[in-house]
Amino acid sequence: MLFKVEMDVNVPPDHDPVRFEQLKAAEKTRFQELQCAGTWRHIWRVVGQYANVSIFDVGSSAELHDILITLPLYPFMSVRVTALCRHPSSVHDDDR
Amino acid sequence: MLFKVEMDVNVPPDHDPVRFEQLKAAEKTRFQELQCAGTWRHIWRVVGQYANVSIFDVGSSAELHDILITLPLYPFMSVRVTALCRHPSSVHDDDR
Amino acid sequence: MLFKVEMDVNVPPDHDPVRFEQLKAAEKTRFQELQCAGTWRHIWRVVGQYANVSIFDVGSSAELHDILITLPLYPFMSVRVTALCRHPSSVHDDDR
Amino acid sequence: MLFKVEMDVNVPPDHDPVRFEQLKAAEKTRFQELQCAGTWRHIWRVVGQYANVSIFDVGSSAELHDILITLPLYPFMSVRVTALCRHPSSVHDDDR
Amino acid sequence: MLFKVEMDVNVPPDHDPVRFEQLKAAEKTRFQELQCAGTWRHIWRVVGQYANVSIFDVGSSAELHDILITLPLYPFMSVRVTALCRHPSSVHDDDR
Amino acid sequence: MLFKVEMDVNVPPDHDPVRFEQLKAAEKTRFQELQCAGTWRHIWRVVGQYANVSIFDVGSSAELHDILITLPLYPFMSVRVTALCRHPSSVHDDDR
Amino acid sequence: MLFKVEMDVNVPPDHDPVRFEQLKAAEKTRFQELQCAGTWRHIWRVVGQYANVSIFDVGSSAELHDILITLPLYPFMSVRVTALCRHPSSVHDDDR
Amino acid sequence: MLFKVEMDVNVPPDHDPVRFEQLKAAEKTRFQELQCAGTWRHIWRVVGQYANVSIFDVGSSAELHDILITLPLYPFMSVRVTALCRHPSSVHDDDR
Amino acid sequence: MLFKVEMDVNVPPDHDPVRFEQLKAAEKTRFQELQCAGTWRHIWRVVGQYANVSIFDVGSSAELHDILITLPLYPFMSVRVTALCRHPSSVHDDDR
Amino acid sequence: MLFKVEMDVNVPPDHDPVRFEQLKAAEKTRFQELQCAGTWRHIWRVVGQYANVSIFDVGSSAELHDILITLPLYPFMSVRVTALCRHPSSVHDDDR
């Protein structure tokens, strides 16, 4: 099942930069694990924002929920989730 | 250059169904031409809506503008365009 | 998979009342078919509105999309879809 | 009387995690008490959010108000209340 | 049970003035019937708008729904319903 | 002159509970004084919110302004003011 | 009593230009009558819009309501009303 | 040149009251200086809000900008600026 | 004086294409006249929209108002006007 | 490629004024560097706001992203990016 997930990261003005870099590194590790597994199929940066547009391919809504709320940067994110499905006109197998 | 384009199709209540099916067929032909060319890289349906989320890869903003405004269904669409760029954490070459 | 679907029906001011009653009857038949099948698990009216709040339990997002866009009153509806999942505190088996 | 209640929990960035876990445990206890009593009829998680969609069945608006404002996590919640009523097409007795 | 109901009347630009005056007369008759019965407890005009703010006192949400959707001008109204309850500081018995 | 005033109280997360209870007690005293005087004609709680809907009957806009900004809880309130007037269909003298 | 009234005129695309010019002339006559009487104290155009910002000085909310809803162009207007009062720092007598 | 300027003052909950009173006094002095000069032509309070609606008459946009950002209370304000011009129907010379 | 003007053109679905092309040609002629005169300093298309972002340099707000409301396509436009001024850091003389 | 970038600077109420002046000076230096390079083609102040409207001309979306997120004041900015393209009616070469 496909979902568009839009994540905005709101860095608190008085954050501890060392701790935040650690969280960013942990986020990157977790992201690449999920991308290699095919779960986090796509990610793009939104120009000028600390934000991304992502496409997830998960077995269930619950799986997506568990992935999102355990992301290292989740406490600093606002997240919008939109259910997608394959477009009948697509000629690409992987726009499933 | 990458753009997220979100298209909502607003079918006028008193449209001519024959004419509209012709436009939909023309839209599909144009879409597949652009998808095969690698310009309209991805398309997904938004669940429950006559709407899609698409990713375009174009040479310039002007090229995207010309593609969008000449789509057969453009007069019935509302369109939102967001500039994207490659995410530095991505391990996929084609999330460019 | 669970989804909250909120449907607002916008009756066009110049609609044909006979035709509209036929669509409402067809909508009711289709609804009860889906409710008996366990797909359209819950429906409630929103007080003072021609609108409902519904819970769907479907095998996939695509199944939900196909159900919604073929509802007899769909051309008169605006629809909002929200992905849900089971709450870990629930003691009811059917809040799945 | 039926109400849809949507609760978003806003965890303050500088909260005391021990205190917050205590409040969450108290919230769960209170929730299950109300669910077993049939008052908090349904609860679902919103995917990707610290939020739920709930259906309450109460004797009066005042009863609902008293329940909501005494929830252990209420000070951290934003709450939206919508009055519902039974849908005439429903075939289920408990969509009352 | 108390509800605040806010009604905005949207007069269609090409309405039939005779028919509309008939509906307004029917609306006034129905309103006064409900006001005398104590159901439509209060009504005020919003300055500069074809709109009112009303307080209803009904036995159930379903009763309110049935009253509202059968108002003669309902097809021209947009309606917002808010559940209220008695304020504990009130010294008036009838702010129930 | 009649006004609808909607007051939302935003309790700061780190407020001093003793001080806040004192302000609430002062607010209640002031409210009852104004209600007995006929100035604060009606008050209702909004279900699930720390908020009220009120009707004021004042001699002038300036009088209303002075009452509102000197309420003990005013620094914690967001306030929306709407000018009302008597509805010509009302059969009640006191919906003036 | 002072009110800020913001009026946006929405000219229907298929209006009858002769009839509309008659209404505009009637609107101007009525406006000047009210301005000379001191009721419609100020009027300014909003740059680039068919809209104005006005200040009214009326004896009561009901008087303002009656003035606004009988304006010749009222059926084409959307109107926002805000209650004002004299600012204590003003040195001008007529900012009453 | 005429501008409508709407100023909302947001008093920070933990402000120093002595310092704030000094700023308010400085704001009043500056306001009266500008009002006497004819630059800050009108000011009204918005009922129930710590906010005003003002009309400025300035030689240029830059002059208005410099006036606004140097107001003593500017750091606590949110400001909305709307360009106005004389209304052709006005009979008053000073609604210029 | 500088203004940012954002214009969205809303083509009515049942417009007369011949008449609309005439208006577009007249709009282009008027635009170029104003651009050559230095009044309409800049214009850019918004990608994917029938809309532009423009910068005007005019002697007064009234001049801008007269220019905008007499544009051939004005009846089909929604327009947003924002007053600008020279930025003190600019090194370009013509960002005046 | 052309982009409109709108930047609002939100000065935190408890900022260190010395540190903030240093950031402003660094911002100005960086801005002028980019303006002289032709990348930050235009900048204007929004009247009454700590905000600007800018036009960027960059080789790619990624270049714009890198420029924006490394601006010295970026942590205090909210930024809106809109893709633009040359308008076909423009007579100026540099409205490219």
Side-chain angles (χ1 to χ4, degrees):
Chain A
M1 272 164 40
L2 292 166
F3 290 93
K4 177 182 65 163
V5 181
E6 295 172 287
M7 306 178 195
D8 296 354
V9 181
N10 312 298
V11 190
D14 55 350
H15 67 286
D16 171 349
V18 175
R19 175 75 186 123
F20 202 75
E21 287 308 308
Q22 288 169 342
L23 289 172
K24 279 172 65 176
E27 179 83 16
K28 183 176 177 178
T29 302
R30 179 66 176 138
F31 160 72
Q32 290 181 340
E33 206 175 282
L34 289 161
Q35 197 183 36
C36 294
T39 305
W40 197 324
R41 287 176 60 94
H42 299 287
I43 189 169
W44 298 279
R45 272 199 170 157
V46 181
V47 172
Q49 312 292 339
Y50 193 164
N52 68 67
V53 176
S54 292
I55 306 293
F56 281 80
D57 187 0
V58 288
S60 70
S61 296
E63 183 189 341
L64 179 62
H65 186 75
D66 292 344
I67 287 170
L68 292 174
I69 64 167
T70 57
L71 289 175
L73 287 177
Y74 184 77
F76 304 101
M77 286 178 182
S78 62
V79 167
R80 294 183 301 289
V81 172
T82 307
L84 302 178
C85 54
R86 185 178 168 79
H87 196 286
S89 302
S90 182
V91 298
H92 290 342
D93 282 351
D94 67 349
D95 278 354
R96 68 169 167 266
Chain B
M1 272 165 39
L2 294 166
F3 289 93
K4 176 180 65 162
V5 181
E6 295 171 288
M7 306 178 193
D8 295 353
V9 181
N10 312 296
V11 190
D14 55 350
H15 67 284
D16 171 349
V18 175
R19 176 75 185 121
F20 201 74
E21 287 308 308
Q22 289 169 342
L23 288 172
K24 279 172 65 176
E27 178 83 18
K28 183 175 178 178
T29 301
R30 179 65 176 136
F31 160 72
Q32 289 181 341
E33 206 175 282
L34 289 161
Q35 197 182 36
C36 292
T39 305
W40 197 324
R41 289 176 59 93
H42 299 286
I43 190 170
W44 297 279
R45 272 198 170 158
V46 181
V47 172
Q49 312 291 339
Y50 194 164
N52 69 66
V53 176
S54 292
I55 305 292
F56 281 80
D57 187 1
V58 289
S60 70
S61 297
E63 183 191 340
L64 179 61
H65 186 75
D66 292 344
I67 288 170
L68 292 174
I69 64 167
T70 56
L71 289 175
L73 288 177
Y74 184 79
F76 303 102
M77 285 179 184
S78 62
V79 168
R80 293 183 300 291
V81 172
T82 307
L84 301 179
C85 55
R86 184 178 168 78
H87 197 286
S89 302
S90 181
V91 298
H92 290 342
D93 281 352
D94 65 350
D95 278 353
R96 68 169 168 268
Chain C
M1 272 165 39
L2 293 166
F3 290 93
K4 176 181 66 163
V5 181
E6 295 171 287
M7 307 179 193
D8 296 354
V9 181
N10 312 298
V11 190
D14 54 350
H15 67 285
D16 171 349
V18 175
R19 176 75 187 124
F20 201 75
E21 287 309 307
Q22 288 169 341
L23 288 172
K24 278 173 65 176
E27 178 84 16
K28 183 176 178 177
T29 302
R30 179 67 177 137
F31 160 72
Q32 289 181 341
E33 206 175 281
L34 288 161
Q35 197 182 38
C36 293
T39 305
W40 197 324
R41 287 175 60 93
H42 299 288
I43 189 168
W44 297 280
R45 272 197 169 158
V46 181
V47 172
Q49 312 291 340
Y50 194 164
N52 69 67
V53 176
S54 292
I55 306 292
F56 281 79
D57 187 359
V58 289
S60 70
S61 296
E63 183 189 342
L64 179 62
H65 186 75
D66 292 344
I67 287 170
L68 292 175
I69 64 167
T70 56
L71 289 176
L73 288 177
Y74 185 78
F76 304 102
M77 284 179 185
S78 62
V79 167
R80 293 184 300 289
V81 172
T82 307
L84 302 178
C85 55
R86 184 178 169 80
H87 196 285
S89 302
S90 182
V91 298
H92 290 343
D93 281 352
D94 66 348
D95 278 353
R96 66 168 170 268
Chain D
M1 274 165 39
L2 293 166
F3 289 93
K4 176 181 66 162
V5 182
E6 295 172 287
M7 306 178 195
D8 295 353
V9 181
N10 312 298
V11 190
D14 55 350
H15 67 285
D16 171 348
V18 175
R19 176 74 187 124
F20 201 75
E21 286 309 307
Q22 289 169 341
L23 288 173
K24 279 172 65 176
E27 179 83 16
K28 183 176 177 178
T29 301
R30 178 67 177 137
F31 160 71
Q32 290 182 340
E33 205 175 282
L34 289 162
Q35 198 183 36
C36 293
T39 305
W40 198 324
R41 287 175 60 93
H42 299 288
I43 190 169
W44 297 280
R45 272 197 171 159
V46 181
V47 172
Q49 312 292 340
Y50 194 164
N52 69 66
V53 176
S54 292
I55 306 292
F56 280 81
D57 187 0
V58 289
S60 70
S61 297
E63 183 190 341
L64 179 61
H65 186 75
D66 292 343
I67 286 170
L68 291 175
I69 64 167
T70 57
L71 288 176
L73 288 176
Y74 184 79
F76 304 102
M77 285 179 182
S78 63
V79 167
R80 293 183 301 290
V81 172
T82 307
L84 303 178
C85 55
R86 185 178 168 79
H87 197 285
S89 302
S90 181
V91 298
H92 290 342
D93 283 351
D94 66 349
D95 277 354
R96 66 170 170 268
Chain E
M1 273 165 40
L2 293 166
F3 290 94
K4 177 182 65 163
V5 182
E6 294 172 287
M7 307 178 193
D8 295 354
V9 181
N10 312 297
V11 190
D14 55 350
H15 68 284
D16 171 349
V18 174
R19 175 74 186 124
F20 201 75
E21 287 308 308
Q22 289 170 341
L23 289 173
K24 279 173 64 177
E27 178 83 16
K28 182 175 178 178
T29 302
R30 178 65 176 138
F31 160 72
Q32 289 181 341
E33 205 176 282
L34 288 161
Q35 197 182 37
C36 293
T39 305
W40 197 325
R41 289 175 60 93
H42 298 288
I43 189 168
W44 297 280
R45 273 199 168 157
V46 181
V47 172
Q49 313 290 340
Y50 194 164
N52 69 67
V53 176
S54 292
I55 305 292
F56 281 79
D57 187 359
V58 289
S60 69
S61 296
E63 183 189 342
L64 179 61
H65 186 74
D66 292 343
I67 287 169
L68 292 174
I69 64 168
T70 57
L71 289 175
L73 288 176
Y74 184 78
F76 304 102
M77 284 180 184
S78 63
V79 167
R80 293 183 301 290
V81 172
T82 307
L84 301 178
C85 55
R86 185 178 169 80
H87 196 286
S89 301
S90 181
V91 298
H92 290 343
D93 282 351
D94 67 349
D95 279 353
R96 65 169 173 267
Chain F
M1 272 164 39
L2 293 166
F3 289 93
K4 177 181 65 160
V5 181
E6 295 172 286
M7 307 178 193
D8 296 353
V9 181
N10 312 297
V11 190
D14 53 351
H15 67 285
D16 171 349
V18 175
R19 176 74 185 123
F20 201 75
E21 287 309 308
Q22 289 169 342
L23 289 172
K24 280 172 66 176
E27 178 84 16
K28 182 176 177 176
T29 301
R30 178 67 175 136
F31 160 72
Q32 290 182 339
E33 205 175 284
L34 289 161
Q35 197 182 36
C36 293
T39 305
W40 197 324
R41 288 175 59 94
H42 299 287
I43 189 169
W44 298 279
R45 274 197 169 159
V46 181
V47 172
Q49 312 291 340
Y50 193 164
N52 69 67
V53 176
S54 292
I55 305 293
F56 281 79
D57 187 0
V58 289
S60 70
S61 297
E63 184 190 341
L64 179 61
H65 186 74
D66 292 343
I67 287 170
L68 292 174
I69 64 167
T70 56
L71 289 175
L73 288 177
Y74 184 78
F76 304 101
M77 286 179 183
S78 62
V79 167
R80 294 184 299 289
V81 173
T82 307
L84 303 178
C85 55
R86 184 178 168 80
H87 196 285
S89 302
S90 182
V91 298
H92 290 342
D93 282 351
D94 65 349
D95 278 353
R96 66 170 172 269
Chain G
M1 274 165 39
L2 292 166
F3 290 93
K4 176 181 65 162
V5 181
E6 295 171 287
M7 308 179 193
D8 296 353
V9 181
N10 313 296
V11 189
D14 54 350
H15 67 283
D16 170 349
V18 174
R19 174 75 185 122
F20 200 75
E21 287 308 308
Q22 289 169 341
L23 288 173
K24 280 172 65 177
E27 178 83 17
K28 182 175 178 178
T29 302
R30 178 66 176 137
F31 159 72
Q32 289 181 341
E33 205 176 281
L34 289 161
Q35 197 182 36
C36 294
T39 305
W40 198 324
R41 288 176 59 93
H42 300 288
I43 189 168
W44 298 279
R45 273 198 169 159
V46 181
V47 171
Q49 313 292 340
Y50 193 164
N52 69 66
V53 175
S54 292
I55 306 291
F56 281 79
D57 187 359
V58 289
S60 69
S61 297
E63 183 189 342
L64 179 61
H65 185 75
D66 292 343
I67 287 170
L68 292 175
I69 64 168
T70 57
L71 289 175
L73 288 176
Y74 184 78
F76 303 102
M77 285 179 183
S78 62
V79 167
R80 293 183 301 290
V81 173
T82 307
L84 302 178
C85 55
R86 184 177 168 80
H87 196 286
S89 302
S90 182
V91 298
H92 290 341
D93 281 351
D94 66 349
D95 278 353
R96 65 168 172 269
Chain H
M1 272 165 41
L2 292 166
F3 290 93
K4 176 182 66 162
V5 181
E6 295 171 287
M7 308 178 193
D8 296 353
V9 181
N10 313 296
V11 190
D14 54 349
H15 67 284
D16 171 347
V18 175
R19 175 75 186 123
F20 201 76
E21 287 307 309
Q22 289 169 341
L23 289 171
K24 280 172 65 177
E27 178 83 16
K28 182 175 178 179
T29 302
R30 178 67 176 136
F31 160 73
Q32 289 182 341
E33 205 176 282
L34 289 160
Q35 197 181 37
C36 293
T39 305
W40 197 325
R41 287 175 59 94
H42 299 288
I43 189 168
W44 298 279
R45 273 198 169 160
V46 180
V47 172
Q49 313 291 341
Y50 193 163
N52 68 67
V53 176
S54 292
I55 305 293
F56 280 80
D57 188 359
V58 289
S60 70
S61 296
E63 183 190 341
L64 179 61
H65 186 74
D66 293 343
I67 286 170
L68 292 175
I69 64 168
T70 57
L71 289 176
L73 288 177
Y74 185 77
F76 303 102
M77 286 179 182
S78 62
V79 167
R80 294 184 300 290
V81 172
T82 306
L84 302 177
C85 55
R86 183 176 170 81
H87 196 286
S89 302
S90 182
V91 297
H92 290 343
D93 283 351
D94 66 349
D95 278 352
R96 67 166 170 270
Chain I
M1 272 166 39
L2 293 165
F3 290 93
K4 177 181 65 162
V5 182
E6 295 172 287
M7 306 178 194
D8 296 352
V9 181
N10 312 296
V11 190
D14 55 350
H15 67 284
D16 170 349
V18 175
R19 174 77 185 121
F20 201 75
E21 287 308 309
Q22 289 169 341
L23 289 172
K24 279 172 65 177
E27 179 83 17
K28 182 175 178 177
T29 302
R30 178 68 176 137
F31 160 72
Q32 289 181 340
E33 204 175 283
L34 288 161
Q35 197 182 37
C36 294
T39 305
W40 197 324
R41 288 176 58 93
H42 300 287
I43 190 169
W44 297 279
R45 272 198 170 158
V46 181
V47 172
Q49 313 292 339
Y50 194 164
N52 69 66
V53 175
S54 293
I55 304 293
F56 281 80
D57 187 0
V58 289
S60 71
S61 296
E63 183 190 341
L64 178 61
H65 186 75
D66 292 343
I67 288 170
L68 292 175
I69 65 167
T70 56
L71 289 175
L73 288 177
Y74 184 79
F76 303 101
M77 285 178 183
S78 63
V79 168
R80 293 183 300 290
V81 172
T82 306
L84 302 178
C85 56
R86 185 178 168 79
H87 196 286
S89 302
S90 182
V91 298
H92 291 341
D93 281 352
D94 65 350
D95 278 352
R96 67 168 170 268
Chain J
M1 271 164 40
L2 292 165
F3 290 93
K4 176 182 66 162
V5 181
E6 295 171 288
M7 307 178 195
D8 295 353
V9 180
N10 312 297
V11 190
D14 54 350
H15 67 284
D16 171 350
V18 175
R19 175 75 186 123
F20 201 75
E21 287 308 307
Q22 289 169 341
L23 288 172
K24 280 172 65 177
E27 179 84 16
K28 182 175 178 178
T29 302
R30 178 67 177 137
F31 160 72
Q32 289 181 341
E33 206 176 279
L34 288 161
Q35 197 181 37
C36 293
T39 305
W40 197 325
R41 288 176 60 94
H42 299 287
I43 190 169
W44 297 280
R45 272 198 168 158
V46 181
V47 171
Q49 313 291 340
Y50 194 164
N52 69 67
V53 175
S54 292
I55 305 292
F56 281 79
D57 187 359
V58 288
S60 70
S61 296
E63 183 189 342
L64 179 61
H65 186 75
D66 292 344
I67 287 170
L68 292 175
I69 64 167
T70 57
L71 289 176
L73 287 177
Y74 184 77
F76 303 102
M77 285 180 183
S78 63
V79 168
R80 294 183 300 291
V81 172
T82 307
L84 302 178
C85 54
R86 184 177 169 80
H87 196 286
S89 302
S90 182
V91 298
H92 291 341
D93 282 351
D94 66 349
D95 277 353
R96 67 168 169 267

